[in-house]
């Protein structure tokens, strides 16, 4: 897995217009054009083209690059699956998980859909990946949202623990570690600080920091969550092959780093979850 990530990190294959630097430049240029256009319209007509466009301008700037990423996402996922011995299915009959954490328990979410599924193994762990979409009805308008979801099946069920970006406070209080760098880059929440420190050993922390240093966005913007016998990663990134590899590699580091005594002391084989 690490060899694949290093190979992908040297540059995404594909046309120039699919490269991250090009998409970032395109978004910036789109933003500048929108601002200039709205300024001139306001100057010439005494009012903006539409008041709603003013706060939406930063989001509209990402529209062209988003269209490009969406058009290539399926190809990237299939390519990563083929290079890593995974089975790829553009559409499948996988049921939407009923996990009790976002985005799977959003009350106003409608029409969850699973697409672009892959199945294989990451190290010693059965692994799956899928692209989740849903409609969010906030009573004013209906918007489309998505997440890329990564799942490793662990040897036994463990207490809940969340690592990464999250607004879900139901996991427990934030747990601090001796590494200030780790605390700055990752937020860990658990109802049992002793369990959190047992799972995230100093060696695991060092490896996660190394991966984050090489693939910062893909790993640091992913929420990793232990739920039952599953380690789940959810992120708005994970579209590109190197991002898929980076997230899976971080999850393998977390799973491999769990000491044996944790499975004995905290593991509950009779309370397993299923993807």
């Amino acid at each position: 897995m690490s060899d694949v990530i290093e190979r992908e990190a040297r540059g995404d294959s594909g046309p120039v217009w699919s490269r991250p630097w090009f998409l970032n430049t395109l978004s910036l240029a789109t933003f500048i054009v929108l601002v200039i256009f709205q300024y001139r319209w306001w100057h010439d007509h005494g009012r903006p083209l539409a008041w709603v466009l003013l706060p939406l301008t930063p989001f509209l700037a990402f529209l062209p690059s988003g269209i490009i990423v969406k058009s290539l996402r399926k190809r990237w996922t299939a390519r990563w699956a083929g290079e890593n011995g995974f089975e790829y299915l553009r559409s499948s009959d996988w049921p939407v998980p009923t996990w009790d954490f976002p985005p799977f328990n959003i009350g106003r979410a409608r029409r969850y859909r699973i697409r672009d599924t892959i199945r294989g193994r990451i190290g010693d762990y059965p692994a799956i990946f899928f692209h989740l979409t849903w409609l969010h009805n906030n009573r004013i308008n209906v918007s489309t949202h998505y997440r890329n979801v990564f799942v490793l099946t662990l040897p036994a069920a463990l207490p809940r623990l969340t690592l990464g970006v999250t607004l879900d406070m139901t996991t427990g209080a934030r747990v601090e570690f001796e590494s200030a760098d780790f605390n700055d880059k990752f937020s860990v929440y658990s109802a049992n600080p002793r369990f959190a420190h047992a799972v995230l050993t100093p060696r695991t922390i060092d490896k996660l920091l190394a991966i984050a240093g090489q693939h910062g966005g893909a790993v640091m913007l992913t929420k990793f969550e232990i739920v039952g016998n599953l380690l789940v990663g959810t992120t708005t990134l994970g579209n590109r092959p190197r991002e898929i590899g980076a997230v899976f590699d971080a999850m393998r580091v977390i799973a491999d780093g769990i000491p044996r005594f944790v499975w004995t002391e905290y593991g509950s084989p009779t309370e397993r979850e299923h993807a």
Side-chain angles (χ1 to χ4, degrees):
M1 173 65 67
S2 296
D3 293 339
V4 174
I5 294 175
E6 290 173 2
R7 184 169 66 252
E8 292 168 348
R10 290 191 288 268
D12 292 314
S13 61
V16 172
W17 45 266
S18 70
R19 307 291 175 84
W21 65 265
F22 180 88
L23 297 177
N24 292 336
T25 302
L26 177 62
S27 296
L28 177 60
T30 304
F31 177 77
I32 294 174
V33 169
L34 288 173
V35 170
I36 293 175
F37 172 78
Q38 292 187 57
Y39 170 78
R40 290 188 173 179
W41 181 280
W42 198 330
H43 181 270
D44 295 340
H45 297 82
R47 63 181 184 279
L49 176 64
W51 285 102
V52 71
L53 290 180
L54 293 179
L56 289 179
T57 297
F59 302 97
L60 293 173
F62 291 97
L63 183 60
S65 59
I67 292 174
I68 293 175
V69 170
K70 184 176 181 179
S71 68
L72 292 174
R73 178 178 52 78
K74 293 177 172 54
R75 186 187 308 173
W76 284 334
T77 303
R79 195 193 85 188
W80 189 92
E83 291 177 349
N84 292 274
F86 274 59
E87 176 189 10
Y88 170 77
L89 296 172
R90 184 168 182 175
S91 60
S92 72
D93 58 354
W94 290 7
V96 178
T98 57
W99 298 323
D100 190 22
F101 59 85
F104 304 94
N105 63 349
I106 299 175
R108 298 185 183 275
R110 302 290 185 271
R111 297 183 61 185
Y112 281 106
R113 295 289 185 272
I114 286 179
R115 299 179 175 87
D116 301 309
T117 61
I118 63 176
R119 185 192 301 271
R121 296 188 70 87
I122 298 295
D124 297 328
Y125 313 98
I128 63 173
F129 165 95
F130 57 88
H131 185 74
L132 178 74
T133 63
W134 72 94
L135 298 178
H136 186 80
N137 182 3
N138 61 8
R139 297 183 180 179
I140 298 176
N141 64 351
V142 177
S143 54
T144 302
H145 298 263
Y146 77 91
R147 293 292 186 276
N148 291 311
V149 183
F150 303 72
V151 184
L152 296 190
T153 300
L154 302 175
L158 293 173
R160 189 177 173 200
L161 179 147
T162 299
L163 184 154
V165 180
T166 183
L167 297 176
D168 180 14
M169 300 292 102
T170 63
T171 307
R174 180 168 182 178
V175 181
E176 298 288 336
F177 292 79
E178 292 184 2
S179 171
D181 192 18
F182 181 77
N183 292 331
D184 290 339
K185 288 183 169 62
F186 296 95
S187 298
V188 178
Y189 293 87
S190 174
N192 188 337
R194 182 171 175 267
F195 168 71
H197 281 277
V199 169
L200 298 169
T201 65
R203 185 175 182 182
T204 297
I205 287 174
D206 289 342
K207 289 184 176 180
L208 287 175
L209 288 174
I211 296 174
Q214 187 177 7
H215 306 276
V219 175
M220 292 173 58
L221 295 180
T222 298
K223 182 186 73 170
F224 302 99
E225 185 141 5
I226 294 178
V227 49
N229 73 318
L230 302 176
L231 175 59
V232 181
T234 56
T235 179
T236 56
L237 298 180
N239 293 303
R240 298 175 177 277
R242 65 176 180 175
E243 294 173 347
I244 297 175
V247 174
F248 267 139
D249 198 43
M251 296 175 73
R252 179 187 56 78
V253 164
I254 295 171
D256 283 348
I258 299 176
R260 289 186 178 182
F261 80 88
V262 171
W263 302 110
T264 302
E265 184 173 344
Y266 297 97
S268 304
T270 58
E271 299 179 2
R272 298 194 172 194
E273 300 276 348
H274 296 280

